Amino acid sequence: MNDPRITPEAKKNAHIHYVVAFIGGFLGLFPVFNVVKLFGSAQTSNLIEIVYGLIGADWQAVLLHAGGAFLYALAVFLVTFISAHSRLNIKIVSLFVDVAAAFVMWKMPDNLPKTVYLYPTFFAMSFQWSAFPGSYGFVCSTIFSTNNLKQTVSALTEAFCNGKSEFKLKAKFFGATMACYHLGVASCILLWNVFGNAAFLFSMIPAAVALIMILIPLRVEG
C-alpha cells in the first residue's frame, strides 16, 4: 500500500532537508571550536545566561547575551515576514545566509568577547531552522538533534514494538536527518583539524548541492 504522504514534492523536500541538516551540523560547531566552547544552535543556555547576569548585576553579560537572543529572534522574524511579503524563495535565501555566516566564521578575529562568537551561529542556524521546517508533514530540526533523537526512538517503538507500521516513515525521516546532521559534524571536525576556521568555507559545497536540488524542476510522472 502506497503511503499518501510520500508525494514527489515531499520526497524532494526530504532529500533537500537531509543536505541542509548536514550544513546545520557543519556550521553548528563554530562556537564550540572557538573561545566560547559552547553549542550555539539553540537558545536555552543563552537565555539562562541572561537570567544569571541579571541576578549578578553583570550588565555587560546581559547585553551581550541579549544581543544573541535578538539575532536569533530576528532570523525567525525575517523568515516569517519575507515569506508573507515577498516572492523570494526563503530556502534559497537561507542557503546564502549560511554561506555568509561561513565567511564571517572564517574571518572573525580572536580578541572579541566570547559571547560574540555565538552570533553568526545564532542568526544563521535560526534562519535555517525556520526556512527548512521539515517534510512529509513532520516538523524536524536541521540544527540540533535532541528532539530528532526523541522522535526517532518514539517512532521506532511505535513501528516495531506497538505494531503501528505508519510510524516507519517518521522513524526514517527523523533518523536520516539526525544521521546527516552528525555526518556534517564529523566532516567539520576532520576539516577543522586541517584548515582551522577556513574549514567552514567548505559548507559552500553542500549549500550548492541544496541550491541545485531546489532549482531543478520536479519531474512528475504520468
Side-chain angles (χ1 to χ4, degrees):
M1 181 177 179
N2 293 329
D3 191 326
R5 294 171 295 181
I6 308 178
T7 64
E9 182 179 3
K11 190 172 183 179
K12 175 182 177 180
N13 287 337
H15 291 161
I16 295 170
H17 197 82
Y18 301 148
V19 177
V20 173
F22 179 97
I23 300 170
F26 198 99
L27 293 181
L29 286 183
F30 173 71
V32 177
F33 285 151
N34 288 282
V35 294
V36 67
K37 303 301 180 187
L38 290 173
F39 183 63
S41 294
Q43 274 296 292
T44 304
S45 295
N46 189 59
L47 295 175
I48 289 173
E49 289 287 351
I50 294 174
V51 176
Y52 187 79
L54 288 170
I55 292 174
D58 185 346
W59 306 118
Q60 181 181 19
V62 170
L63 288 173
L64 287 170
H65 286 285
F70 171 78
L71 287 173
Y72 206 92
L74 177 63
V76 177
F77 165 78
L78 288 174
V79 171
T80 307
F81 185 84
I82 293 171
S83 298
H85 297 276
S86 171
R87 294 183 179 180
L88 290 173
N89 186 319
I90 202 64
K91 294 184 176 182
I92 293 177
V93 175
S94 177
L95 294 174
F96 280 100
V97 169
D98 284 342
V99 171
F103 275 91
V104 172
M105 293 171 181
W106 173 39
K107 287 297 186 179
M108 284 188 83
D110 57 6
N111 58 349
L112 299 173
K114 71 174 187 177
T115 306
V116 176
Y117 292 94
L118 290 159
Y119 284 6
T121 309
F122 280 162
F123 184 81
M125 294 298 93
S126 177
F127 203 104
Q128 184 192 110
W129 188 19
S130 300
F132 294 91
S135 188
Y136 300 128
F138 304 124
V139 176
C140 177
S141 171
T142 60
I143 65 170
F144 50 74
S145 290
T146 303
N147 187 60
N148 292 351
L149 176 61
K150 173 185 178 294
Q151 296 298 336
T152 301
V153 173
S154 174
L156 286 171
T157 304
E158 292 283 13
F160 295 102
C161 297
N162 297 345
K164 298 179 180 179
S165 60
E166 65 270 22
F167 281 87
K168 289 181 179 179
L169 177 62
K170 183 178 181 179
K172 177 183 177 181
F173 180 62
F174 280 91
T177 300
M178 189 166 56
C180 289
Y181 176 89
H182 288 280
L183 182 60
V185 170
S187 300
C188 187
I189 291 171
L190 294 173
L191 289 168
W192 189 84
N193 286 334
V194 178
F195 299 101
N197 282 353
F200 294 103
L201 298 178
F202 284 89
S203 63
M204 289 188 291
I205 298 173
V209 172
L211 177 61
I212 292 170
M213 293 172 71
I214 291 170
L215 293 176
I216 291 177
L218 184 67
R219 293 183 179 180
V220 180
E221 297 180 357

